[in-house]
Amino acid sequence: METKKVAEIAVSAGEILLSNGAEAYRVEETISKICNSYGLTGDCISNLTGIFISITGPDGEMVTSIRRIRQRRVDLYRVELINSFSRGLMENPVSYEEAKRILGDITNAPSFNLGIRLMAASMTSFVYTLFFKGTVPDAIIALVISLGVYFILQKIDEVGFFQFLQYFLSGLLIGALSVLIQHLFPIIHKDNVITGAIIVLLPGVSLTNGIKDILYGDYVSGLAQFGEAMLIIIAMSAGIVTALSLFMKWM
Amino acid sequence: MLQQTVLAFFGSIFPVILFNIDRRKILWAGFCGAIGWIIYSLVSANTNSPIFSSFFGALTVGIYSESMARILKTPTFEFLIPGIFPLVPGMIAYKTLRYIVENNMSSAFSSGTQTLAVGGAIGFGIMLSTTIFKFISRIQKNRKK
């Protein structure tokens, strides 16, 4: 196969991986696996925001390709599909058209619809409010708040990249609603409601991926992941603290 | 404790639905959280230290995820991410914020430090299990050559 076509397959696979929340070392490994299965050697550098690859063909011709990743979300299923795609290529290097078709299928793979995700987000808060020793009424309030907050997060996500605004608003909403509801119904404990509701917003993926990237020697993307996690935590805390301080002033 | 373990099981299942996990692996992710929590509470009952317990909980989650990833041939983080959810120090982290709002800085400092220590212990537990598994598989690979 032509070197150019291998480069295109490799960089598309890498793009799917990186934009669905895979670690940098996994992207680099997958790309060099794909190149190897077509009998070429390729070098790849991947960090949190882009992929650079360079492949040397049999006649000494070099192909370089760059892809910038802007929107990222977490989708473990697509990462897994690409993983098995690259493992399959090692045994059976398929043709260019076939590989393109498989990658297209992976991009359009099914994901849970908004209804199920809303249910999962609100149930997460329900479970964790009980887990942190809250009462059942607390858990129900956390469930409702988390439902609204997750819906707003998704809607802002569709507009574009507004990470700080998203998490600040969510923190503010969680704090304000919990305080307000505690004021109206004194049997509700705002502390339990808030701890249950913020669990959905925690940047668990960024933190674990950051640890793994650093362990594999990818300091650039590892520290970038930690930076992202810190930003999310700070934005969320700022929102909650703002809501609580305003409440203390007014009531 | 049984009730908490069941809650930890569901507390690992619901977050992974948000991350669009493969439907056949949802149950395995739930077991990861439950096992991690059992070890956490066992260590916690004996040592009474949240930092130690978090470390051993995270270590268990790491070992479970690495082994399951090799058995089911999937990326490790499908089990790692849901597994650490029950160990996250959400309660102490929130307390820190509340002390800051109440302008009680010495309490905020002590609970903030505790949050960081627990977070670091979880990170250390994952690091240890990942490196050990990677080291072993690298040795096996080198032997085959």
Side-chain angles (χ1 to χ4, degrees):
Chain A
M1 197 191 288
E2 284 175 47
T3 318
K4 260 185 191 162
K5 289 184 169 171
V6 176
E8 201 190 327
I9 294 172
V11 87
S12 309
E15 185 187 5
I16 296 177
L17 277 181
L18 203 56
S19 58
N20 285 308
E23 310 96 314
Y25 83 89
R26 190 183 300 285
V27 176
E28 294 178 3
E29 242 178 48
T30 308
I31 286 178
S32 67
K33 248 189 215 167
I34 291 175
C35 298
N36 286 342
S37 31
Y38 289 108
L40 301 168
T41 47
D43 257 335
C44 167
I45 293 181
S46 149
N47 57 34
L48 205 59
T49 47
I51 308 169
F52 315 83
I53 66 169
S54 159
I55 304 180
T56 316
D59 46 357
E61 164 206 25
M62 273 241 237
V63 176
T64 308
S65 188
I66 295 178
R67 215 36 91 75
R68 170 79 161 94
I69 309 293
R70 290 188 192 278
Q71 279 278 354
R72 290 188 308 114
R73 59 206 169 91
V74 182
D75 192 322
L76 303 177
Y77 187 47
R78 286 188 172 73
V79 173
E80 196 188 325
L81 287 177
I82 292 279
N83 222 31
S84 42
F85 165 71
S86 74
R87 202 177 287 134
L89 272 188
M90 301 254 276
E91 286 150 18
N92 170 31
V94 293
S95 70
Y96 173 72
E97 284 74 26
E98 179 70 7
K100 271 301 223 189
R101 194 188 58 76
I102 296 175
L103 287 175
D105 281 353
I106 293 175
T107 316
N108 300 323
S111 51
F112 291 105
N113 60 26
L114 186 64
I116 295 180
R117 276 182 287 140
L118 279 174
M119 187 277 294
S122 46
M123 281 309 288
T124 307
S125 293
F126 182 79
V127 167
Y128 277 101
T129 313
L130 292 178
F131 188 74
F132 292 130
K133 309 227 160 65
T135 60
V136 176
D138 293 349
I140 292 170
I141 298 295
L143 184 147
V144 176
I145 291 179
S146 168
L147 190 78
V149 166
Y150 190 75
F151 185 73
I152 292 171
L153 273 181
Q154 292 297 309
K155 286 294 152 200
I156 298 180
D157 228 20
E158 284 168 15
V159 179
F161 185 81
F162 292 103
Q163 208 166 36
F164 185 80
L165 180 74
Q166 265 181 341
Y167 286 93
F168 178 72
L169 265 186
S170 318
L172 196 68
L173 262 182
I174 290 174
L177 286 177
S178 319
V179 166
L180 197 70
I181 288 171
Q182 191 195 29
H183 195 67
L184 295 176
F185 309 99
I187 52 159
I188 303 290
H189 311 286
K190 70 169 190 300
D191 301 0
N192 295 333
V193 176
I194 293 177
T195 36
I198 56 174
I199 281 282
V200 181
L201 306 176
L202 282 181
V205 178
S206 299
L207 285 175
T208 41
N209 282 357
I211 292 175
K212 292 199 84 175
D213 269 342
I214 285 183
L215 278 183
Y216 282 79
D218 281 313
Y219 291 103
V220 176
S221 50
L223 289 177
Q225 301 252 23
F226 278 136
E228 188 188 15
M230 279 320 285
L231 180 93
I232 291 176
I233 292 174
I234 289 172
M236 198 165 75
S237 314
I240 294 173
V241 167
T242 310
L244 291 184
S245 334
L246 286 180
F247 171 77
M248 275 179 56
K249 224 174 200 162
W250 287 340
M251 309 211 182
Chain B
M1 161 145 174
L2 181 70
Q3 189 205 357
Q4 290 258 305
T5 310
V6 173
L7 284 175
F9 178 80
F10 283 109
S12 307
I13 282 183
F14 288 117
V16 281
I17 296 179
L18 298 179
F19 302 144
N20 193 23
I21 195 179
D22 182 9
R23 288 147 183 75
R24 284 161 293 175
K25 280 152 199 142
I26 290 182
L27 274 185
W28 295 113
F31 285 125
C32 187
I35 292 171
W37 178 255
I38 290 173
I39 298 294
Y40 175 94
S41 13
L42 286 181
V43 177
S44 176
N46 287 316
T47 62
N48 224 351
S49 148
I51 297 167
F52 258 121
S53 341
S54 303
F55 167 70
F56 281 106
L59 186 68
T60 317
V61 167
I63 293 172
Y64 175 91
S65 320
E66 295 280 346
S67 344
M68 287 312 285
R70 277 163 179 73
I71 295 170
L72 297 176
K73 294 222 186 318
T74 59
T76 323
F77 63 1
E78 288 204 351
F79 309 110
L80 204 55
I81 294 164
I84 59 166
F85 258 84
L87 304 175
V88 166
M91 203 73 197
I92 331 170
Y94 168 67
K95 265 188 196 153
T96 314
L97 292 184
R98 216 187 56 192
Y99 288 135
I100 291 176
V101 174
E102 289 164 357
N103 220 351
N104 185 350
M105 285 305 162
S106 57
S107 301
F109 190 74
S110 92
S111 60
T113 315
Q114 204 185 349
T115 313
L116 281 182
V118 170
I122 295 174
F124 181 49
I126 295 171
M127 279 188 177
L128 202 60
S129 51
T130 310
T131 356
I132 290 173
F133 269 85
K134 200 190 166 201
F135 190 65
I136 294 174
S137 65
R138 185 48 60 85
I139 288 179
Q140 281 174 340
K141 229 186 220 168
N142 288 353
R143 263 206 199 134
K144 267 185 199 163
K145 284 177 189 169

